[in-house]
Each structure stands twice: as structure tokens, then as C-alpha cells.
Amino acid sequence: MTIDLAEIARLFAERGGVAYAGEPVSQLEHALQCAWLAEQAGASDALVTAALLHDLGHMLIAEHQTLSRSPTELGIDDRHQYIALPLLRGAFDVEVREPIRLHVDAKRYLCATRPGYFSKLSPDSVRSLALQGGVMDEAAATRFAAHSWAADAVRLRLWDEEAKVEGLETPPLAHFLATAARVMLP
């Protein structure tokens, strides 16, 4: 099964209003802010699309829509970075999918290699870090850095942490779906 832009729009319409795991924004607001930060940084259309869709897995997990607390507060690593990949595989090439797949590992990498990064994580990101394997050791960080999509995943992760601003104005979803349309597989 492959996801298309209409299905992505439907998911955001139906589930995008759910709070983004203990943050002052919704899933949709977080996605739009992340994509907007990528666009403002001059990222490629593929990386802007990855920024928009990086947490799509959260919205695909139906149980998340009814939880009274964030999954991390319940001790759950939902492995959301992998959930959407089978659907995205037929719609987008690796330059969209790989930064999505690696954005959780990028957080673990940044905590290991960038002084002060850990201290900037939100409480929910700290909880999810522990559930996702914790800070990378030196060997894991070296392996991650050698991955061909590591730099894009790190950029995405940095935008991900910034994209939690209550009330921030961004372009609408349609703007970023138009960007995604430019990088969809034929």
C-alpha cells in the first residue's frame, strides 16, 4: 500500500489536531513548523517534505489518538520513525524516507556529540531518548556519522526540536503538500 497526498491531507485533517506529545502544539502545528524551518533554511524539496512527514507515524497509530498522556509518560517507545515507511516507500524516494527513518537516531547522536544539546531537549524528548536507546556511545556515533543520510537526519532533528512554538504562524498544509508533490515518485 502506498500513501498519496490526499491521504496525507486526510490524516492531518483527522488526527493533526491531537497534542504533540506533551508539547504546546498539535501534531499538525509541529509538522508545519518543522517543514517551515526546513524551507527557511533553504533545504531541498525532499528534505522539506521529510520535515513535514517525519512524525506521520504518530498519527498512524490509532491508539495515540485516545491516550490521556503521552506514550513516553506510559513508558512506550512507539518506534514512530518506522511506522510510516512502508506507506511512504511507494510515494517518495530515499531522500525523503531516510531522514525520517534516522531522525530518532540523530537525536541520540546529537546528545553524544554536541555539548549542550541534551539540556535543550523537552521533558518528553528526554523520556523518549531513554526509551529509544539513550545517548549513543562513541562507536555508534561514528557509525551514524558515516551514514549517507546522517547530515540530513541531523538537520531534520534540529528543526524537530525547534518546531514546538505555541501560536507560531506558518504557511498552510497545502503549501507543503505542493512541495511534496514535486518530489513524489511517478
Side-chain angles (χ1 to χ4, degrees), residues 42-125:
S44 68
D45 285 350
L47 192 52
V48 170
T49 300
L52 178 71
L53 303 178
H54 77 281
D55 281 341
L56 196 64
H58 285 309
M59 292 188 294
L60 291 170
I61 303 170
E63 295 80 26
H64 281 201
Q65 311 311 305
T66 59
L67 291 176
S68 59
R69 297 183 303 174
S70 79
T72 65
E73 289 176 311
L74 300 171
I76 298 169
D77 174 13
D78 61 15
R79 302 178 56 81
H80 73 280
Q81 69 272 28
Y82 303 116
I83 300 293
L85 292 179
L87 297 175
L88 296 173
R89 192 167 288 118
F92 298 102
D93 212 339
V94 292
E95 70 264 12
V96 173
R97 297 190 324 262
E98 282 296 281
I100 292 171
R101 183 179 71 84
L102 294 171
H103 82 278
V104 167
D105 285 340
K107 174 173 61 173
R108 299 177 61 222
Y109 170 81
L110 285 165
C111 286
T113 61
R114 191 169 286 191
Y117 181 77
F118 178 86
S119 67
K120 294 178 182 176
L121 295 178
S122 70
D124 200 75
S125 286

Side-chain angles (χ1 to χ4, degrees), residues 4 20-21 28 46 58 107 125 128 144-145 147 149-151 162 171 181 183:
D4 61 19
Y20 178 75
L28 175 61
H58 285 309
K107 174 173 61 173
S125 286
S128 66
F144 177 83
H147 194 286
W149 298 102
E162 290 180 49
V183 294

Side-chain angles (χ1 to χ4, degrees), residues 1-11 53 56 87-88 90-92 177 180 184:
M1 181 176 179
T2 298
I3 199 164
D4 61 19
L5 295 180
E7 181 65 11
I8 291 169
R10 185 192 66 75
L11 275 170
L53 303 178
L56 196 64
L87 297 175
L88 296 173
F92 298 102
L177 291 179
M184 285 196 85

